[in-house]
């Protein structure tokens, strides 16, 4: 009888010392329903979204990027990559000339016609679904990591980001939530509602999104509607020069609670609209705007300083 535990212990040690199953071959269904098969990690990748570009560099696969769009400007090393047009009109000839073994596209950011044309050129295209929450982004990140042979790096990165998000959730517990309007466009006046990373970030940071109940994910608001809703905070997430113009426009409405309290803020849009690791930087920025102490909503029982 004593020999059985010894045999089991030996077997367990033997199994635990075996290498992990290989990453490849790998078959993944993309957002279009296409089954994309990977027999090995791609060596030449064309990224048709700034999100992919940023995530590939974060996963340590930046050296395998052969081409990017004109909007792929982060990290700085992306500037040295071949430009293949923009999100809506990628240059098919330039992409084909790069001989990629993988083209990465997004369901919301790239035209279906472009994806179809690339596949007709016999190129392997993976179309990623939209991330409708921070957790959705982390799932997409892990999937991308698997397809480029960086599953371990992907899990480590996702774990770090989840830890940051969990801490932010903890900080927001018990706070009286100020009402927030986040502006993404000037004409029309676009914001983010349900089913978006931005809407999720506002909630995690401790705010109440006034657009949350909209039936559209990215609805247009009239200025009169925003004034009637009277948010405690207005955050303008636009290019710096345009953001300053919009901020001054809102400040002209002296009856707005956000104008009275000086809580009309500007934010780098890339920190919240790009599904990449910098989302946690955007989350910290939102926290700072939402949880300003001087005269603003605080945690239950907290004292003014």
């Amino acid at each position: 009888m004593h020999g059985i535990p010894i045999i089991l212990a030996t077997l367990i040690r033997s199994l635990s010392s075996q290498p992990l199953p290989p990453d490849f071959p790998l078959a993944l269904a993309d957002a279009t329903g296409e089954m994309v098969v990977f027999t090995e990690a791609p060596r030449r990748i064309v990224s048709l979204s700034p999100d992919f570009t940023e995530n590939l560099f974060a996963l340590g696969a930046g050296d395998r990027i052969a081409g990017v769009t004109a909007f792929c400007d982060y990290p700085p090393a992306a500037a040295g990559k071949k430009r293949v047009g923009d999100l809506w009109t990628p240059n098919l000839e330039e992409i084909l000339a790069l001989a990629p073994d993988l083209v990465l596209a997004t369901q919301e950011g790239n035209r279906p016609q472009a994806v179809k044309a690339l596949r007709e050129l016999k190129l392997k295209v993976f179309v990623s679904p939209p991330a409708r929450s921070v957790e959705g982004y982390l799932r997409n990140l892990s999937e991308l990591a698997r397809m480029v042979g960086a599953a371990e790096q992907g899990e480590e990165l996702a774990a770090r980001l989840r830890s940051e998000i969990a801490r932010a959730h903890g900080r927001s517990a018990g706070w009286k939530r100020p009402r927030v309007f986040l502006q993404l466009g000037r004409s029309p006046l676009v914001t983010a509602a349900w089913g978006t990373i931005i809407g999720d970030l506002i909630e995690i940071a401790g705010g109440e999104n006034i657009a949350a109940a909209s039936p559209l994910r990215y609805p247009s608001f009239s200025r009169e509607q925003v004034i009637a809703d009277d948010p405690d905070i207005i955050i303008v997430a636009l290019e710096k020069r345009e953001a300053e113009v919009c901020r001054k426009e809102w400040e002209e409405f002296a009856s707005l609670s956000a104008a009275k309290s000086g809580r009309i803020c500007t934010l780098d849009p890339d920190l919240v609209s790009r599904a990449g690791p910098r989302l946690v930087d955007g989350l910290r920025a939102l926290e700072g705007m939402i949880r300003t102490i001087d005269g603003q909503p605080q945690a239950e029982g907290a004292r003014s300083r």
Side-chain angles (χ1 to χ4, degrees), residues 58-166:
L59 292 169
D63 60 333
R64 286 187 268 158
I65 299 175
V68 298
T69 73
F71 298 106
C72 296
D73 56 3
Y74 188 89
K81 302 296 182 179
K82 174 70 176 177
R83 294 303 197 248
V84 293
D86 59 30
L87 279 74
W88 288 92
T89 54
N91 189 311
L92 302 183
E93 291 182 0
E94 289 187 353
I95 293 173
L96 188 62
L98 289 173
D101 46 13
L102 177 63
V103 179
L104 294 168
T106 64
Q107 192 173 30
E108 287 189 334
N110 303 113
R111 290 177 186 268
Q113 300 94 315
V115 171
K116 182 174 182 290
L118 288 165
R119 284 178 171 159
E120 288 174 349
L121 291 171
K122 307 303 181 184
L123 293 175
K124 182 183 293 184
V125 183
F126 187 91
V127 181
S128 181
R132 298 176 182 271
S133 64
V134 175
E135 185 58 35
Y137 155 64
L138 293 174
R139 288 195 298 269
N140 285 351
L141 173 65
S142 295
E143 186 173 62
L144 175 64
R146 289 177 65 205
M147 73 177 75
V148 300
E152 186 174 344
Q153 295 93 320
E155 290 307 313
E156 290 175 356
L157 177 57
R160 290 199 302 272
L161 297 176
R162 281 193 177 96
S163 178
E164 289 270 0
I165 293 159

Side-chain angles (χ1 to χ4, degrees), residues 192-210:
W194 62 274
T196 65
I197 288 177
I198 293 173
D200 204 17
L201 287 172
I202 291 171
E203 295 294 323
I204 295 169
E208 178 187 340
N209 184 5
I210 69 167

Side-chain angles (χ1 to χ4, degrees), residues 35-275:
M35 187 62 69
V36 184
V37 178
F38 300 85
T39 56
E40 61 181 359
R43 295 184 176 89
R44 293 182 61 77
I45 303 169
V46 168
S47 166
L48 297 183
S49 165
D51 300 6
F52 283 129
T53 301
E54 185 168 340
N55 286 311
L56 286 169
F57 273 101
L59 292 169
D63 60 333
R64 286 187 268 158
I65 299 175
V68 298
T69 73
F71 298 106
C72 296
D73 56 3
Y74 188 89
K81 302 296 182 179
K82 174 70 176 177
R83 294 303 197 248
V84 293
D86 59 30
L87 279 74
W88 288 92
T89 54
N91 189 311
L92 302 183
E93 291 182 0
E94 289 187 353
I95 293 173
L96 188 62
L98 289 173
D101 46 13
L102 177 63
V103 179
L104 294 168
T106 64
Q107 192 173 30
E108 287 189 334
N110 303 113
R111 290 177 186 268
Q113 300 94 315
V115 171
K116 182 174 182 290
L118 288 165
R119 284 178 171 159
E120 288 174 349
L121 291 171
K122 307 303 181 184
L123 293 175
K124 182 183 293 184
V125 183
F126 187 91
V127 181
S128 181
R132 298 176 182 271
S133 64
V134 175
E135 185 58 35
Y137 155 64
L138 293 174
R139 288 195 298 269
N140 285 351
L141 173 65
S142 295
E143 186 173 62
L144 175 64
R146 289 177 65 205
M147 73 177 75
V148 300
E152 186 174 344
Q153 295 93 320
E155 290 307 313
E156 290 175 356
L157 177 57
R160 290 199 302 272
L161 297 176
R162 281 193 177 96
S163 178
E164 289 270 0
I165 293 159
R167 284 196 289 270
H169 267 301
R171 289 191 293 268
S172 67
W175 283 70
K176 179 181 176 182
R177 291 180 173 267
R179 301 172 70 252
V180 179
F181 177 75
L182 192 144
Q183 180 179 351
L184 291 171
R186 186 182 181 195
S187 182
L189 191 61
V190 176
T191 188
W194 62 274
T196 65
I197 288 177
I198 293 173
D200 204 17
L201 287 172
I202 291 171
E203 295 294 323
I204 295 169
E208 178 187 340
N209 184 5
I210 69 167
S214 171
L216 301 176
R217 292 175 64 223
Y218 294 99
S220 296
F221 270 47
S222 68
R223 195 174 295 274
E224 291 74 21
Q225 185 177 356
V226 177
I227 293 170
D229 287 339
D230 194 26
D232 300 301
I233 306 166
I234 294 175
I235 300 171
V236 183
L238 292 168
E239 182 273 328
K240 189 172 183 180
R241 186 176 300 176
E242 189 172 22
E244 283 301 314
V245 171
C246 292
R247 183 180 62 79
K248 292 175 181 176
E249 288 175 347
W250 286 117
E251 287 175 346
E252 292 177 3
F253 296 92
S255 63
L256 276 170
S257 294
K260 290 177 184 177
S261 63
R263 301 187 83 185
I264 300 173
C265 314
T266 61
L267 174 66
D268 180 352
D270 292 350
L271 298 183
V272 292
S273 61
R274 291 188 181 182

